[in-house]
């Protein structure tokens, strides 16, 4: 009997969603916050150009403040939550999209809300793409181990540009010129080379 074919992790606009997790004012002190927000903002611009539905959450906004304006999420209604996972508060959006196959996940913190959201989505049978240059933590050890943990559980670790190009699929796409402008400059450094260098045993 042939072995089951592993999931390839393809992403298509018509079967994907973008999740933006808890990029709020009181998290500005978190290391690489500015960089990951700029990358998440780029993902949001692309999602809008390609009609990829997007959900936005805020963790206990009464204490942690609103979403930072530089994310560019004006027009999105944030879902307030206390649960670390995003899934309980966006259940309605998930249920309304039976064609959904893939979720692209950005935000913080990697070891808390990102990890628990990824596990809940995987438990629903969805493919999860963690946008590694759009996720961070106060502790880079927590960030590193959480990325490894999600990979062990079946999530895909991807960069923003890799996912953007997968979503677009073809240089003949009518939005190619607009998206090309967005990815012309590389993503800002968010410390990933330091996490992945020297054949880190967590990612073997």
């Amino acid at each position: 009997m042939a072995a089951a074919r592993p999931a390839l992790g393809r992403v298509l606009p018509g079967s994907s969603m973008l999740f933006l997790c808890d990029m709020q004012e009181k998290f500005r002190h978190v290391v690489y916050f500015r960089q990951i927000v700029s990358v998440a903002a780029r993902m949001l611009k692309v999602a809008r150009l390609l009609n990829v539905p997007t959900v936005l959450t805020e963790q206990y906004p009464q204490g942690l403040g609103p979403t930072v304006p530089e994310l560019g999420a004006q027009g999105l209604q944030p879902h307030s939550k206390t649960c670390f996972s995003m899934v309980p508060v966006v259940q309605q959006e998930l249920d309304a999209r039976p064609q959904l196959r893939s979720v692209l996940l950005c935000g913080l913190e990697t070891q808390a809300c990102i990890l628990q959201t990824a596990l809940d989505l995987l438990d629903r049978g969805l493919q999860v793409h963690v946008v590694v240059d759009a996720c961070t933590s106060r502790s880079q050890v927590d960030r590193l181990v959480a990325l490894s943990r999600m990979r062990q559980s079946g999530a895909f670790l991807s960069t923003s540009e890799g996912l953007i190009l997968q979503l677009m699929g073809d240089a003949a796409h009518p939005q190619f010129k607009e998206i090309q402008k967005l990815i012309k400059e590389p993503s800002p450094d968010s410390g990933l080379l330091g996490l992945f260098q020297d054949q880190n045993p967590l990612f073997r």
Side-chain angles (χ1 to χ4, degrees):
M1 184 174 176
R5 186 180 182 184
L8 295 177
R10 295 190 188 282
V11 292
L12 300 168
S15 58
S16 298
M17 284 185 76
L18 177 64
F19 275 33
L20 300 172
C21 183
D22 306 352
M23 285 171 273
Q24 295 161 253
E25 289 289 348
K26 288 293 180 73
F27 289 126
R28 285 190 181 276
H29 68 283
V30 174
V31 65
Y32 298 120
F33 180 85
R34 177 180 58 82
Q35 291 90 335
I36 70 108
V37 169
S38 73
V39 174
R42 180 164 66 171
M43 293 297 299
L44 176 56
K45 288 175 183 175
V46 170
R48 285 171 165 161
L49 286 168
L50 298 179
N51 297 312
V52 174
T54 302
V55 292
L56 171 72
T57 60
E58 294 175 344
Q59 180 74 14
Y60 186 60
Q62 303 95 313
L64 296 174
T67 299
V68 296
E70 57 265 39
L71 181 60
Q74 297 82 358
L76 288 177
Q77 181 62 44
H79 296 266
S80 176
K81 66 184 180 70
T82 57
C83 181
F84 294 126
S85 173
M86 297 174 70
V87 170
V89 296
V90 300
Q91 188 81 45
Q92 188 173 349
E93 284 86 345
L94 292 172
D95 291 342
R97 293 177 173 84
Q99 79 281 12
L100 181 64
R101 296 291 177 267
S102 305
V103 172
L104 286 55
L105 186 52
C106 305
L108 69 161
E109 289 187 70
T110 317
Q111 82 287 358
C113 299
I114 297 296
L115 171 62
Q116 294 193 34
T117 300
L119 295 179
D120 279 354
L121 291 168
L122 290 166
D123 205 33
R124 290 176 65 103
L126 294 167
Q127 294 185 13
V128 177
H129 297 262
V130 181
V131 189
V132 294
D133 49 341
C135 295
T136 194
S137 301
R138 288 168 296 135
S139 160
Q140 294 305 285
V141 172
D142 281 334
R143 183 188 187 195
L144 171 66
V145 175
L147 290 173
S148 176
R149 171 73 171 81
M150 288 184 277
R151 183 169 176 259
Q152 288 170 336
S153 296
F156 295 98
L157 304 185
S158 306
T159 64
S160 56
E161 184 165 332
L163 287 168
I164 288 167
L165 293 173
Q166 279 193 71
L167 285 168
M168 191 165 46
D170 193 322
H173 193 286
Q175 297 291 357
F176 175 74
K177 291 292 185 185
E178 286 301 310
I179 291 173
Q180 186 181 40
K181 294 175 188 174
L182 296 174
I183 62 174
K184 188 174 181 179
E185 293 296 323
S187 296
D189 176 34
S190 58
L192 289 170
L193 284 178
L195 296 181
F196 289 103
Q197 69 185 2
D198 301 325
Q199 296 186 334
N200 193 303
L202 290 174
F203 292 99
R204 284 178 185 164

